[in-house]
Amino acid sequence: MKRILFYLLIALPLFTTAQQKINIIPQPVSLQQNEGDFIIDNNTSLQYNPADKSLQDAANFFSSYINHISGIELPSNIHKSKFVEFRLSKTTEIGDEGYLLNVSPSSIIITANTRAGIIYGMQSVFQTLPAIRTNAVLQVPCMQVKDYPRFKWRGMHLDVCRHFFSPDFVKEYIDLLASYKMNVFHWHLTDDQGWRIEIKKYPKLTSVGAWRVDETSKIWGDRPQAVAGEPETYGGYYTQQQIKDIIQYAKERNVTIVPEIEMPGHSAAAIAAYPFLSCSQKPQLPMTGGNYKDVSSVLCVGNDSVFTFMENVLSEVINLFPSEYIHIGGDEVDKTSWKNCPKCQALKTKLGLKDEEELQSYFIKRIEKFIVSKHRKMIGWDEILEGGLAPEATVMSWRGESGGIAAAKMHHDVVMTPGTPLYFDHYQANPASEPLAIGGFNTLKMVYDYNPIPQQLQGGYEKYILGAQANLWTEYITTPEYVEYMVLPRMLALAEAVWTPLSEKNWDSFNERLQTQFKDFGQRSINYCKGNFRADIKPSIQNGKLFASLFSEIYQSEIYYTTNGETPTIQSEKYTAPVPIDSTLTLKAVIAVDGEIMSKMPAQQSFVMDKAVGKNVVYTNPVSPYYMADGPNSLTDGVRGTVNVGKYWHGFAGKDLIATIDLGQEENIHTISIGCLQHYRDWIMMPQWVKFEISDDGKNFTEVQTINNDIPQNEMTAIKEFTANFSARNARYIRVTAKALDGLPKGHPGEGQPAWIFADEIVVN
Ligand code: ACM
Ligand code: ZN
């Protein structure tokens, strides 16, 4: 009896003083937690130099947050027993946006060189406090922090054209950015399917270009084109007054808004409003989605009044937005209309330009000159490199990093935003159990591991990388809740990738800190993805033997797997080390948390052992550099593709796949097969037929069989094994020809355009 009481007596005080662990995202440069807490209560005042307007604004930002979560009103500059102080001072080691944060039981002191640093110090404090109004004590753990960002461009993009989001939601989005010290909001304001910014000189841009026939219930690529007379009820735009208000809101949070006005492509909405902007000058209706036939989406370069128009638009944009950078798009310009336009061709001849790429470069350079004349900098997507980069342009690299690398080597500034892993419209977890997305697969861990400085730029070119940004295109993202879901938690991983020094980054620590943010999201009813519950199965060769490594992104989880085709349970083998692969098999793996299986479907990966594994493949037509799978011999690596397009498939664009394999010596064989993928929406179609041939000398081939395709062309997703079975024969060389379609089938959004062939493995036995 007595002993229990004794334990209780010593245990209780330990519990009440147990210190809350500090879970700040992004992880600060240096953080030391000390004993004790600072309690924010009615005996707390704010201290700062009231003559400094920027500090007064910052203090208001702090007190309104505290008031929001507690109801406490913090007085300024009067004596109380405890205080929170904001100090501007010259501290060289923390730069423009850094801060020092010192929390003791009697004071919180935030020191910085600028108001931005003060705000970031506050954000770190807020992350230790409750996220919503409660009666909880406002307890800030004592700590000493020195912190500053690794990159100066820490961006998030939002496409408000494909679907429109209200001014209130845009503010919520900016708030989310600011909470994690992201400082650029790239506002994609104009595109084919909507013009969203009021331009006083050209009111039809919004009265016509901001509205379309409502086809929201249909998938983007399936939406029928508008027909004259149908009501145009979907849309919206931001008035200049609303924009000013949002810019001010962002400024208070140290977020710069970079507006994007797309040109010369992605301009169908502007052309619907003012048809003279296109080469054909034909009237057209606003687009409803991703189907476009006989719609102009490109501005005419050969018409001077188009430049006058765009410059007038840009003048209003520049007057509104204080941003140093103005984004002019520049991506995905279909140059067909320029080829057929007398005005564009006359200009090309007059300027002595070689091709339409140079015409595009002329357009961009002329716009840059205008922007520079207004004392701003132009930024555009990496296509602006084509035909010659404008002299002072900053490049946003989205088609991988290669455009960014090329631009940096030309001494131009770059923002990295490669599709993998920074397109947040891509899936973040198993597509089988996720809301429909545009495709791709960019998990939280992939984003966390992203380093904006590619290997190729180390040793002198690093300084041209301003930072990185994630993009959120909204073709498939129709609601604010879905925006939250796609951005959270991946934005937090990006925040750490662009803020925290490499030496302080640690995935396990991030994942642990993230759990606190998940609780906050839950309390604030913010939608977020609870994680990628698909185990990652990675083949690897060690000492000439094939292994499968398994990985889970889920905090404190376990992996169970089978190799006999059965669905794993928690009674199956628990993963502890790479699994050796010695025979043809399918490995299936699931993730469990606290003994409960979390994966709706097991991850699975098939492996084959056959006579072709490890053998060299020679292609008559080259493999697309975008779809190299795991290297040049992907068709003979023993690893099968999955319905996930990005993984283990070799892609060929519009050409036949002709692969010749040298088995190294004569072998007795009786079956050859090749696996192909159909992914209709991604323009990947089955070949028309596959021909299998064998040879003794690699020169004279004998056909053993041709297998015709039997997968219907409108089947959305299919994997087919084209297999030749024949009476056993000796051969050293195998040639497989997969015949490409003559073009995408009738009714396909890309009808008549080249189709892709995707193949994963050639199996020989
Ligand atoms: C882009 O994704 N077209 C920049
Ligand atoms: Zn033209």
Side-chain angles (χ1 to χ4, degrees):
M1 229 2 219
K2 260 205 162 100
R3 277 162 70 103
I4 291 172
L5 201 58
F6 171 74
Y7 272 115
L8 273 177
L9 281 173
I10 60 160
L12 269 175
L14 275 179
F15 270 112
T16 47
T17 58
Q19 241 193 330
Q20 161 197 350
K21 193 175 165 299
I22 299 172
N23 292 309
I24 296 173
I25 292 178
Q27 178 66 32
V29 174
S30 81
L31 182 154
Q32 189 198 311
Q33 182 162 6
N34 299 327
E35 244 177 70
D37 300 287
F38 181 95
I39 311 284
I40 300 176
D41 57 20
N42 288 320
N43 293 317
T44 309
S45 70
L46 303 181
Q47 301 291 333
Y48 55 91
N49 175 4
D52 192 318
K53 166 87 170 67
S54 73
L55 279 182
Q56 191 159 41
D57 289 348
N60 289 342
F61 183 64
F62 189 87
S63 56
S64 64
Y65 185 86
I66 298 301
N67 183 260
H68 172 70
I69 59 166
S70 67
I72 294 171
E73 300 271 3
L74 292 174
S76 286
N77 295 316
I78 63 164
H79 182 75
K80 291 266 183 183
S81 57
K82 291 175 298 176
F83 61 90
V84 180
E85 184 177 347
F86 313 120
R87 279 186 201 159
L88 287 176
S89 77
K90 289 259 172 292
T91 312
T92 48
E93 56 197 322
I94 55 173
D96 282 348
E97 294 183 287
Y99 64 94
L100 304 173
L101 168 64
N102 212 318
V103 182
S104 73
S106 58
S107 65
I108 295 179
I109 301 171
I110 301 175
T111 311
N113 292 320
T114 65
R115 197 189 64 97
I118 301 282
I119 295 287
Y120 290 144
M122 291 175 181
Q123 295 288 9
S124 290
V125 171
F126 296 162
Q127 284 196 24
T128 68
L129 295 172
I132 51 162
R133 177 89 186 243
T134 64
N135 291 323
V137 175
L138 301 187
Q139 206 169 338
V140 183
C142 290
M143 62 180 130
Q144 237 172 323
V145 177
K146 178 168 83 178
D147 203 10
Y148 50 85
R150 181 173 170 216
F151 292 101
K152 74 174 213 184
W153 188 299
R154 305 182 299 280
M156 286 294 296
H157 153 286
L158 180 65
D159 166 10
V160 294
C161 304
R162 272 51 179 271
H163 289 99
F164 179 69
F165 299 94
S166 70
D168 278 347
F169 181 70
V170 171
K171 284 185 180 173
E172 183 199 315
Y173 194 75
I174 290 167
D175 243 341
L176 277 173
L177 266 68
S179 298
Y180 302 97
K181 306 187 177 84
M182 302 294 281
N183 67 349
V184 176
F185 170 45
H186 172 168
W187 203 359
H188 184 77
L189 283 163
T190 73
D191 211 308
D192 288 326
Q193 294 84 4
W195 183 284
R196 306 280 177 227
I197 170 173
E198 178 191 25
I199 299 295
K200 304 263 192 208
K201 197 170 179 85
Y202 302 116
K204 280 198 203 163
L205 283 171
T206 43
S207 67
V208 174
W211 301 96
R212 66 187 189 219
V213 177
D214 189 352
E215 299 287 3
T216 318
S217 61
K218 301 188 184 74
I219 294 171
W220 188 253
D222 295 347
R223 295 181 183 180
Q225 244 170 279
V227 175
E230 285 181 295
E232 288 160 341
T233 53
Y234 182 88
Y237 65 93
Y238 309 97
T239 65
Q240 293 201 356
Q241 194 49 48
Q242 285 170 326
I243 288 172
K244 282 182 193 156
D245 176 48
I246 291 169
I247 291 169
Q248 179 58 29
Y249 188 85
K251 185 169 169 243
E252 285 162 12
R253 288 154 181 77
N254 194 43
V255 172
T256 298
I257 304 184
V258 174
E260 181 181 353
I261 307 297
E262 271 266 19
M263 61 189 88
H266 286 275
S267 298
I271 293 167
Y274 295 95
F276 84 90
L277 293 169
S278 76
C279 288
S280 74
Q281 306 202 341
K282 268 198 341 223
Q284 64 188 33
L285 294 169
M287 288 166 66
T288 57
N291 259 323
Y292 40 98
K293 226 178 279 157
D294 304 323
V295 172
S296 295
S297 67
V298 178
L299 305 177
C300 180
V301 199
N303 181 352
D304 251 2
S305 53
V306 170
F307 284 93
T308 311
F309 184 96
M310 292 318 291
E311 288 172 6
N312 287 337
V313 168
L314 285 172
S315 292
E316 289 194 33
V317 169
I318 286 168
N319 281 339
L320 269 175
F321 289 89
S323 164
E324 179 184 13
Y325 290 93
I326 303 294
H327 202 304
I328 53 81
D331 60 319
E332 300 181 313
V333 180
D334 176 358
K335 300 167 188 90
T336 319
S337 63
W338 294 349
K339 286 185 183 144
N340 302 324
C341 169
K343 287 200 238 28
C344 288
Q345 288 306 308
L347 180 70
K348 189 174 113 182
T349 307
K350 184 178 137 200
L351 299 172
L353 302 178
K354 187 168 87 242
D355 52 23
E356 280 65 30
E357 310 238 301
E358 290 192 358
L359 212 47
Q360 167 176 302
S361 173
Y362 165 81
F363 182 96
I364 302 288
K365 284 175 180 161
R366 188 162 160 183
I367 292 294
E368 180 183 62
K369 212 178 228 171
F370 178 77
I371 289 174
V372 169
S373 79
K374 301 272 183 188
H375 312 290
R376 304 297 180 91
K377 290 184 179 170
M378 185 190 76
I379 183 167
W381 301 109
D382 58 51
E383 284 93 332
I384 64 172
L385 282 153
E386 296 163 0
L389 189 54
E392 296 171 54
T394 298
V395 172
M396 202 168 248
S397 190
W398 72 279
R399 296 175 302 175
E401 292 182 322
S402 53
I405 292 168
K409 294 217 155 157
M410 292 157 70
H411 308 279
H412 282 252
D413 285 342
V414 169
V415 175
M416 285 296 189
T417 174
T420 307
L422 295 185
Y423 269 39
F424 286 2
D425 53 338
H426 292 189
Y427 286 106
Q428 56 196 316
N430 191 350
S433 46
E434 283 293 290
L436 188 68
I438 199 162
F441 194 58
N442 290 333
T443 70
L444 183 68
K445 176 75 162 56
M446 290 164 71
V447 177
Y448 190 80
D449 287 341
Y450 183 64
N451 181 356
I453 310 267
Q455 202 93 44
Q456 294 94 315
L457 295 180
Q458 288 171 9
Y461 293 97
E462 296 93 335
K463 62 171 186 264
Y464 296 108
I465 305 299
L466 301 180
Q469 173 180 297
N471 295 334
L472 196 74
W473 303 101
T474 55
E475 288 93 339
Y476 285 69
I477 303 174
T478 54
T479 65
E481 293 73 28
Y482 195 9
V483 170
E484 293 170 350
Y485 185 84
M486 296 308 267
V487 161
L488 301 175
R490 286 184 288 190
M491 185 184 73
L492 282 61
L494 175 62
E496 195 146 311
V498 289
W499 180 284
T500 305
L502 285 176
S503 59
E504 299 304 310
K505 272 180 74 185
N506 179 310
W507 163 255
D508 290 328
S509 152
F510 171 77
N511 215 353
E512 186 186 345
R513 282 176 280 125
L514 188 59
Q515 307 311 307
T516 306
Q517 305 301 318
F518 280 177
K519 277 196 209 113
D520 287 358
F521 296 153
Q523 287 178 345
R524 291 161 65 190
S525 304
I526 294 180
N527 205 16
Y528 67 99
C529 176
K530 299 193 173 46
N532 169 28
F533 290 97
R534 180 161 81 178
D536 188 26
I537 307 174
K538 250 198 187 66
S540 65
I541 307 276
Q542 294 166 28
N543 299 327
K545 271 188 60 66
L546 187 58
F547 287 85
S549 301
L550 308 187
F551 176 78
S552 163
E553 293 190 11
I554 301 299
Y555 182 63
Q556 292 185 335
S557 61
E558 293 163 346
I559 305 175
Y560 295 90
Y561 71 94
T562 61
T563 54
N564 60 1
E566 286 176 10
T567 299
T569 67
I570 52 167
Q571 270 75 49
S572 304
E573 201 77 39
K574 185 169 156 183
Y575 179 75
T576 52
V579 184
I581 308 292
D582 308 311
S583 58
T584 295
L585 59 83
T586 297
L587 191 151
K588 293 187 180 181
V590 293
I591 291 174
V593 176
D594 295 333
E596 189 188 341
I597 290 182
M598 308 299 289
S599 324
K600 286 214 180 98
M601 311 244 287
Q604 60 181 65
Q605 178 65 53
S606 298
F607 300 90
V608 286
M609 286 298 139
D610 67 283
K611 293 190 161 117
V613 167
K615 300 298 188 294
N616 199 39
V617 185
V618 175
Y619 297 104
T620 305
N621 297 317
V623 186
S624 159
Y626 296 112
Y627 295 101
M628 289 294 290
D630 50 350
N633 287 335
S634 179
L635 289 186
T636 53
D637 62 358
V639 181
R640 303 308 310 259
T642 69
V643 280
N644 177 5
V645 170
K647 242 180 167 178
Y648 308 126
W649 294 96
H650 258 183
F652 296 81
K655 294 224 168 70
D656 300 342
L657 176 165
I658 307 172
T660 308
I661 299 173
D662 179 355
L663 297 174
Q665 61 182 39
E666 208 153 89
E667 295 273 3
N668 193 254
I669 59 176
H670 59 91
T671 169
I672 314 170
S673 67
I674 182 169
C676 292
L677 175 73
Q678 180 155 307
H679 226 276
Y680 182 89
R681 283 194 213 290
D682 292 332
W683 299 30
I684 302 164
M685 300 296 292
M686 287 292 166
Q688 299 183 44
W689 46 257
V690 178
K691 181 164 74 181
F692 298 93
E693 297 165 292
I694 57 174
S695 162
D696 299 327
D697 58 6
K699 293 190 188 88
N700 302 300
F701 282 84
T702 313
E703 177 181 334
V704 289
Q705 213 170 344
T706 293
I707 308 287
N708 288 318
N709 174 45
D710 57 4
I711 303 288
Q713 291 197 325
N714 59 0
E715 186 105 359
M716 288 294 134
T717 304
I719 292 180
K720 178 177 167 69
E721 198 76 11
F722 291 81
T723 308
N725 287 307
F726 46 95
S727 48
R729 286 195 229 176
N730 284 348
R732 176 171 166 176
Y733 297 91
I734 313 276
R735 185 160 70 194
V736 179
T737 303
K739 181 73 183 157
L741 289 189
D742 297 325
L744 286 162
K746 213 170 157 42
H748 190 285
E751 180 179 331
Q753 306 238 38
W756 287 86
I757 292 181
F758 268 40
D760 65 339
E761 192 80 5
I762 293 175
V763 179
V764 179
N765 275 311

